[in-house]
Amino acid sequence: MAILNILRYPDARLHKVAASVTVFDEGLRKLVRDMAETMYAAPGVGLAATQVDVHKRVIVIDVSDRRDSLVTLVNPEIVEHHGESDIEEGCLSVPGIYDLVPRAERVKVRAYDADGKAFTLEAQGLLAVCIQHEMDHLEGKVFVEYLSQLKQTRVRAKLAKQLRKSA
Ligand code: GNR
Ligand code: NI
């Protein structure tokens, strides 16, 4: 297992569009294990492959308190969405920034697991929001891009200041 480096916004690689997985092999299962280890270590409730500079449609999520309920989504598709969520988001690629962005409260997702078995998942609350957040990463979209230009300017200033302090 390995802990992978998480890209930080702004980084052009966070804007790459991920490609569908076509081969379900040991390399894919190792990527999923390493992504899970990276997510748990961070700690975060989700991680998209884009964030570790792998541009494949792979997501890991665990919103459980005990951190024992890993969900792996390969090539996910939202087939139904309902309502509006009011959960504030954060992102491991944008540390220290939290805000509300428009998301559905409930989603039905069709995806494959790491072995290539198809399944559907009905999610609500934090899990539903997290799925939408991670699927945006696969499209090269980071949650702060939903915010006003004024807020985005403030986010960039805050991240630049964090970097200066850590240097
Ligand atoms: O750890 C995370 N927490 C979180 C909280 C609310 C909505 C979405 C998230 S996802 C985030 C981890 C991350 O950056 N995934 O891409
Ligand atoms: Ni994120």
Side-chain angles (χ1 to χ4, degrees):
M1 301 250 281
I3 291 182
L4 308 171
N5 181 54
I6 298 176
L7 299 177
R8 295 280 197 104
Y9 181 89
D11 184 311
R13 293 170 290 180
L14 286 171
H15 302 307
K16 290 194 185 182
V17 177
S20 295
V21 169
T22 54
V23 182
F24 291 81
D25 60 3
E26 186 49 34
L28 176 67
R29 287 184 286 275
K30 174 170 169 44
L31 172 65
V32 167
R33 287 196 300 272
D34 289 346
M35 284 175 60
E37 189 180 15
T38 303
M39 172 186 73
Y40 288 124
V45 299
L47 190 71
T50 305
Q51 292 176 279
V52 294
D53 201 23
V54 175
H55 302 282
K56 295 182 185 170
R57 303 187 84 81
V58 178
I59 290 167
V60 293
I61 297 176
D62 190 340
V63 297
S64 72
D65 290 336
R66 292 168 52 164
R67 317 290 284 154
D68 61 358
S69 304
L70 182 68
V71 177
T72 302
L73 301 174
V74 178
N75 298 346
E77 311 251 22
I78 290 179
V79 292
E80 281 181 35
H81 58 94
H82 305 277
E84 285 173 33
S85 170
D86 54 7
I87 294 176
E88 278 214 339
E89 297 188 23
C91 181
L92 294 170
S93 295
V94 198
I97 307 292
Y98 303 90
D99 216 322
L100 197 60
V101 305
R103 302 290 190 195
E105 162 63 19
R106 288 187 290 129
V107 293
K108 182 170 171 181
V109 188
R110 197 172 295 154
Y112 297 85
D113 68 17
D115 297 314
K117 186 179 180 332
F119 65 98
T120 62
L121 174 66
E122 293 195 27
Q124 61 175 359
L126 180 59
L127 179 58
V129 169
C130 193
I131 289 169
Q132 294 167 79
H133 174 114
E134 305 311 341
M135 287 181 67
D136 268 353
H137 276 303
L138 302 183
E139 295 302 321
K141 186 155 183 171
V142 179
F143 87 103
V144 293
E145 291 163 5
Y146 287 98
L147 305 178
S148 68
Q149 286 304 322
L150 175 63
K151 280 191 178 179
Q152 289 189 47
T153 301
R154 289 177 178 159
V155 165
R156 285 167 189 275
K158 189 167 175 181
L159 294 174
K161 187 172 175 182
Q162 281 177 15
L163 271 189
R164 283 198 304 278
K165 283 196 167 170
S166 68

